[in-house]
Amino acid sequence: MKIIYDMSIQGATKAGVYVFAKNINEEIIKIDQYPILTYNNPFSTIKQIGIKRKITSLMRLLYLECIAFFGNRNDIFFFPAPEVPFSVIFFKKRFIVTIHDLYAWKNLKETTFFASIKNKLLPIIANKAELICTVSEYSKSEIIKYLNISTDKIFVVHNGLDEVFLDKPKINIEVLKNKRYILNVGSLEPRKNISFLIDLFETIKNQKNYSDLLLVLTGGESWNSNEILNKINNSVYKNDFILLGQVSQNQLPNLYKDAVAMIFPSKEEGFGIPVIESLSQGTPVLVQANSALKDFKEYGAYVMEDFNIDTWLTLITEIEKNKVRISKNNINKVIYDFSWKNSANKLLNELLK
């Protein structure tokens, strides 16, 4: 028996799903005790738009179908994202799938055409899978509730911290040198609630002593970024927005560390990797009390009960005024609890049961 590990997600996104797939795969390979076949998809839709993106998306799906013919009946396919070829299901091959959250499935109108088709198939994929991997207890409860899956079929493997957040050399971003800023890390899409963040930032800028404050946004544009970009361009403070796009891993630690706070007002998250990254660098994080995000309160994150701008404003100004940082105890707790090595070992144990 061998494990057939699907890494084709790297051609579709650089978001949390890809981060999970990449890091788990690298750690499993290091263990080097079990036969693992990893395959990549040569067709990438990253940075593509329009008809070219649609054609490439179709080619990605066809390539996945071809891959499904490989492997013996006893081999196990592991999909770190819910992209499972029809062939795997049709030929009744063994597979374990990772469902990170159900936000896209519950909000089909907020996705692309191809994504909506894939998400409609999620209940079938979940029922046909031998096991389901997910990244938080919150997501597990959602899968049980909405997809009617038994609890013993689902196991949780958390995301982890990249080694660069521990002891590797870090790189500064020159444009932010000696600047005062609040930060958001994530793609520019409706789910991330960037519109609320823009409103919050404008409210902060209207206060005394914040004329030099910047809002730094990282991550790539997504399928519905135009509304967000238009709102930024129409803001009276448009010159105080810094859009960095994709940032390298070596740049992220100091980007977090030098921020006043990391504001992460997502509507829903299966996990929230930027939260643990920011906490690991001692930078306060504000999240809303929804989904898996509320669980980070025990690590020092500020969990807000609603999206009342005045409440968020008061807390951010207090954090800035008092130069609040995350305690060393909470930093160590984050580093200890969220390890890719431990997560890979847990996944491997489930794969080989």
Side-chain angles (χ1 to χ4, degrees):
M1 183 194 79
K2 62 178 176 291
I3 299 166
I4 303 176
Y5 195 111
D6 169 38
M7 266 301 295
S8 61
I9 191 65
Q10 71 176 356
T13 180
K14 293 297 181 183
V17 179
Y18 164 73
V19 174
F20 175 87
K22 171 181 173 291
N23 284 283
I24 291 289
N25 182 248
E26 289 176 353
E27 291 297 333
I28 286 179
I29 290 172
K30 288 178 186 176
I31 297 171
D32 197 29
Q33 294 179 10
Y34 307 98
I36 298 174
L37 172 63
T38 301
Y39 66 86
N40 298 304
N41 197 315
F43 300 100
S44 174
T45 58
I46 295 174
K47 295 184 178 180
Q48 290 189 348
I49 58 174
I51 188 65
K52 187 175 181 181
R53 182 182 178 88
K54 289 181 172 62
I55 293 173
T56 306
S57 293
L58 181 59
M59 295 303 294
R60 288 189 70 254
L61 294 176
L62 291 174
Y63 182 83
L64 273 173
E65 294 299 330
C66 293
I67 288 294
F69 287 101
F70 291 94
N72 298 317
R73 181 74 66 177
N74 292 328
D75 294 336
I76 301 176
F77 282 86
F78 176 69
F79 298 99
E83 285 191 351
V84 178
F86 290 112
S87 304
V88 169
I89 297 173
F90 182 79
F91 291 109
K92 298 181 179 179
K93 296 197 174 185
R94 300 176 65 197
F95 74 94
I96 296 173
V97 65
T98 307
I99 300 176
H100 294 255
D101 59 67
L102 296 184
Y103 183 84
W105 180 77
K106 293 186 294 184
N107 298 273
L108 292 175
K109 291 182 179 180
E110 292 189 17
T111 61
T112 62
F113 174 73
F114 279 114
S116 65
I117 292 175
K118 288 189 291 183
N119 281 300
K120 286 178 182 178
L121 297 173
L122 195 59
I124 297 173
I125 291 171
N127 278 284
K128 296 293 184 182
E130 197 166 300
L131 289 172
I132 296 172
C133 173
T134 192
V135 293
S136 66
E137 291 297 333
Y138 167 78
S139 289
K140 180 177 179 178
S141 68
E142 290 276 285
I143 294 166
I144 293 169
K145 177 181 178 181
Y146 289 104
L147 302 185
N148 196 28
I149 303 296
S150 62
T151 184
D152 57 352
K153 187 176 174 177
I154 310 168
F155 63 95
V156 176
V157 174
H158 292 305
N159 286 294
L161 277 172
D162 192 285
E163 290 182 356
V164 74
F165 292 97
L166 305 179
D167 54 10
K168 285 192 173 183
K170 285 86 173 174
I171 299 174
N172 289 316
I173 297 177
E174 284 301 315
V175 70
L176 296 175
K177 189 174 181 179
N178 299 321
K179 301 292 186 181
R180 185 168 62 149
Y181 61 90
I182 55 176
L183 174 69
N184 176 270
V185 175
S187 55
L188 301 181
E189 60 178 272
R191 171 183 182 168
K192 303 301 182 181
N193 209 8
I194 303 300
S195 181
F196 168 81
L197 180 55
I198 294 170
D199 292 339
L200 173 61
F201 178 64
E202 290 178 337
T203 305
I204 297 172
K205 292 287 288 184
N206 288 333
Q207 312 302 306
K208 284 185 177 180
N209 304 319
Y210 287 95
S211 60
D212 64 331
L213 186 71
L214 304 175
L215 172 56
V216 177
L217 302 173
T218 78
E221 296 178 20
S222 190
W223 44 266
N224 198 11
S225 300
N226 287 339
E227 184 177 332
I228 296 168
L229 295 174
N230 288 337
K231 187 166 184 174
I232 291 173
N233 288 330
N234 292 328
S235 172
V236 294
Y237 299 111
K238 63 181 180 181
N239 293 329
D240 295 321
F241 289 85
I242 305 294
L243 278 66
L244 294 177
Q246 296 289 351
V247 175
S248 73
Q249 284 294 96
N250 287 337
Q251 291 176 313
L252 276 174
N254 283 349
L255 182 62
Y256 284 117
K257 188 175 293 185
D258 295 337
V260 171
M262 206 278 284
I263 317 299
F264 200 70
S266 289
K267 297 175 183 177
E268 183 176 323
E269 293 287 338
F271 187 83
I273 293 176
V275 177
I276 61 171
E277 290 177 344
S278 184
L279 293 173
S280 76
Q281 301 308 297
T283 298
V285 179
L286 279 71
V287 299
Q288 206 270 333
N290 63 51
S291 57
L293 296 174
K294 62 183 182 295
D295 295 337
F296 292 117
K297 184 175 183 178
E298 67 174 286
Y299 298 94
Y302 293 91
V303 178
M304 315 300 287
E305 291 302 320
D306 52 37
F307 286 114
N308 182 295
I309 283 184
D310 290 337
T311 306
W312 289 64
L313 168 66
T314 299
L315 183 54
I316 293 170
T317 54
E318 287 179 359
I319 288 172
E320 199 281 331
K321 179 181 178 181
N322 298 314
K323 301 189 184 306
V324 175
R325 306 303 290 173
I326 300 300
S327 70
K328 187 65 176 177
N329 182 57
N330 278 329
I331 291 174
N332 290 335
K333 192 175 178 183
V334 168
I335 293 171
Y336 179 81
D337 286 356
F338 301 107
S339 158
W340 285 120
K341 181 178 180 180
N342 292 342
S343 293
N345 276 306
K346 183 173 182 180
L347 174 62
L348 200 54
N349 289 336
E350 295 290 343
L351 291 176
L352 298 171
K353 276 185 178 179

